[in-house]
Amino acid sequence: MLNGERLIERPLRWGMVGGGRTGQVGYKHRSGALRDGTYRLVCGAFDLDAERGRDFGVKLGVEANRCYATYQELIAGEARREDGVEVVSIATPNFTHYEITKACLEAGLHVICEKPLFFTVAECEEIEKLAAEKGLIVGVTYGFTGHPLVHQMAAMVKKGMLGDIRIVDMQYTHGFNSGDDVGAGEAVKWRTNPKTAGPTFVLGDIGTHLYYLSEIVLPHMKIDKLLCDRKAFIPTRAPLEDHATVLMHYDNGARGRLWVSSVNAGNMGSQRYRFVGSKASVEWSDSHPDQLIYEVQGEPNRTLHHGMPYLEEESLAADRMGALHTEGLGDSWSNIYLWIAQAIDAKNRGDEAFLKTHHYPGIKAGTEGVRWLENCVRSADAGSAWVAFK
Ligand code: NAD
């Protein structure tokens, strides 16, 4: 169980690019990072609007002269200081991730970047090589995968409690884009333009969360082939999609079905996962992250609760609040940031043995998300044909 005790020697000097006052995801980063004393926010280029960014940064407690107008100024300004920033989080629109990550790594800074990581696998592989050469960590904020019961599902699959996995069923949907985009805010505008969003809208925006979580629960299974059907119900969003279905065949014979949509009008259910094995199934939703439905064929169904001693060690190790008390998304993000901090600390100490067994969403997780997107687009563009996964 986690209790706020610092798990690394000293707090990392941390900065943010993006995640400003009007940004959707910035606070999730700060509430995750600042929870356990593993990061200290020392600087930022928080906003495209430099003045608003400075005012915001000062109100977050950052010194005014360390609230920069651009990420380039942040890198240059911090390089001049003995106590300069060590790790930078990138919470900006997708099209900026690659260039900001590259510039930070070249300046010797660890990076924590939003998903979808970049536009292409080629970019991911180039950055993976650069990070390795520089001895730096790239973390990716798949923020939902810090929930303790996600790791319970993974441990149960690993122990064989479900039997052979046969069916994977995942859904991440909402209805916030059911209407057209007339008068839409910045976050919708950049998400629906391929120049700023990349090759996908909802597949990258929410589908990559499903895919990464399934990789954690089913690390032994790889996709052989997939079929993606995508559509823009609001035509101005084409060629990007606001709705998609993906069918997947896995190398163990399992079948997968994934649905992402931002036009599921009225839906507030968000994410749902069901992993079906030859003996039993587990089902989990981020709407009720404290509960895991465990159904064994021929037995009464069970609801497992977070923090209970009957859970697997991997799940209890990620618990913060203890049984009976609600855990939520903030706790999950804190775990993600903590696990990335431990990776950065180990890298700084040259502790490769720790890194070999330490679990955190890193550059490979980011790359695999982009690889899955590339395959989805290839299938959709071929008229929703089955394509071999590559
Ligand atoms: P947003 O448009 O709401 O906010 C973007 C923020 O970045 C704003 O503050 C903007 O001023 C700032 N910004 C833009 N360009 C900048 C630049 N060049 N330099 C400095 N600041 C800049 O976007 P959002 O919804 O917060 O999404 C940001 C990223 O986070 C996207 O990649 C998105 O996919 C991802 N995201 C992830 C999650 C998650 O759960 N992990 C949730 C939401 C968004």
Side-chain angles (χ1 to χ4, degrees):
M1 182 162 176
L2 296 164
N3 60 7
E5 223 172 318
R6 193 182 296 145
L7 297 182
I8 62 174
E9 224 163 79
R10 59 169 182 81
L12 299 166
R13 297 187 296 278
W14 177 55
M16 284 193 80
V17 179
R21 182 174 286 144
T22 59
Q24 290 186 8
V25 83
Y27 181 65
K28 295 185 181 72
H29 285 259
R30 288 183 291 277
S31 73
L34 300 175
R35 188 83 166 279
D36 297 323
T38 42
Y39 300 82
R40 197 158 53 82
L41 183 60
V42 297
C43 67
F46 295 101
D47 203 310
L48 264 182
D49 178 327
E51 255 330 292
R52 190 172 58 185
R54 179 165 288 111
D55 183 59
F56 182 64
V58 167
K59 288 188 173 133
L60 292 176
V62 177
E63 289 170 32
N65 64 346
R66 296 179 85 176
C67 297
Y68 300 93
T70 63
Y71 77 84
Q72 292 94 337
E73 284 182 24
L74 180 150
I75 291 171
E78 291 296 306
R80 286 193 286 271
R81 301 178 65 106
E82 292 238 319
D83 62 348
V85 71
E86 299 168 276
V87 47
V88 171
S89 287
I90 301 169
T92 53
N94 301 350
F95 75 105
T96 62
H97 294 177
Y98 167 76
E99 66 170 65
I100 303 174
T101 300
K102 191 170 177 188
C104 287
L105 292 174
E106 279 169 348
L109 304 173
H110 299 284
V111 170
I112 301 171
C113 187
E114 267 302 346
K115 46 45 58 184
L117 186 56
F118 308 133
F119 281 14
T120 66
V121 170
E123 288 171 343
C124 296
E125 289 175 345
E126 181 203 326
I127 292 295
E128 182 174 0
K129 193 159 161 273
L130 178 62
E133 281 164 14
K134 294 278 186 181
L136 295 165
I137 294 288
V138 176
V140 181
T141 42
Y142 289 114
F144 300 98
T145 51
H147 284 295
L149 291 177
V150 170
H151 299 274
Q152 173 69 17
M153 288 193 284
M156 290 170 77
V157 169
K158 192 172 171 194
K159 274 179 93 177
M161 290 171 72
L162 308 192
D164 298 329
I165 300 300
R166 291 175 170 167
I167 302 164
V168 178
D169 189 16
M170 306 185 276
Q171 175 182 343
Y172 189 169
T173 61
H174 60 77
F176 289 116
N177 302 112
S178 298
D180 67 26
D181 294 336
V182 177
E186 277 309 307
V188 172
K189 275 195 202 139
W190 71 252
R191 276 178 168 82
T192 50
N193 177 349
K195 288 202 177 82
T196 45
T200 63
F201 171 20
V202 289
L203 282 160
D205 204 39
I206 51 184
T208 46
H209 286 295
L210 296 170
Y211 184 60
Y212 178 59
L213 194 146
S214 73
E215 284 188 296
I216 290 185
V217 176
L218 311 169
H220 59 294
M221 284 167 48
K222 300 284 168 255
I223 299 174
D224 266 347
K225 58 180 183 175
L226 63 69
L227 180 155
C228 173
D229 176 39
R230 65 171 179 168
K231 178 178 169 78
F233 278 99
I234 305 300
T236 53
R237 294 176 189 149
L240 302 188
E241 75 294 340
D242 48 31
H243 168 93
T245 315
V246 186
L247 298 180
M248 294 171 285
H249 285 190
Y250 292 87
D251 57 358
N252 69 338
R255 296 296 193 252
R257 176 180 75 165
L258 179 151
W259 175 26
V260 282
S261 182
S262 66
V263 295
N264 186 7
N267 171 237
M268 296 297 283
S270 194
Q271 291 164 60
R272 189 185 58 79
Y273 300 80
R274 185 169 175 86
F275 301 104
V276 180
S278 51
K279 294 195 285 203
S281 307
V282 282
E283 185 158 331
W284 180 83
S285 160
D286 75 324
S287 302
H288 301 282
D290 287 351
Q291 299 177 359
L292 177 62
I293 311 299
Y294 175 40
E295 299 169 344
V296 182
Q297 179 57 33
E299 294 181 18
N301 297 346
R302 277 163 251 193
T303 302
L304 309 185
H305 291 267
H306 88 93
M308 292 298 283
Y310 53 69
L311 297 176
E312 303 298 321
E313 199 184 308
E314 293 89 332
S315 178
L316 293 173
D319 209 274
R320 287 175 176 266
M321 293 297 145
L324 211 56
H325 309 300
T326 315
E327 288 217 359
L329 186 58
D331 302 290
S332 174
W333 274 78
S334 298
N335 286 348
I336 297 297
Y337 259 94
L338 176 61
W339 297 334
I340 296 173
Q342 289 178 293
I344 293 171
D345 177 63
K347 199 68 169 170
N348 288 346
R349 290 184 290 102
D351 190 347
E352 292 298 323
F354 176 86
L355 283 168
K356 266 209 178 89
T357 55
H358 178 61
H359 173 84
Y360 73 100
I363 181 82
K364 284 206 187 310
T367 305
E368 288 316 305
V370 175
R371 190 186 311 283
W372 179 76
L373 292 175
E374 278 192 354
N375 280 277
C376 289
V377 170
R378 203 155 44 83
S379 165
D381 288 354
S384 302
W386 282 101
V387 294
F389 195 84
K390 53 183 190 194

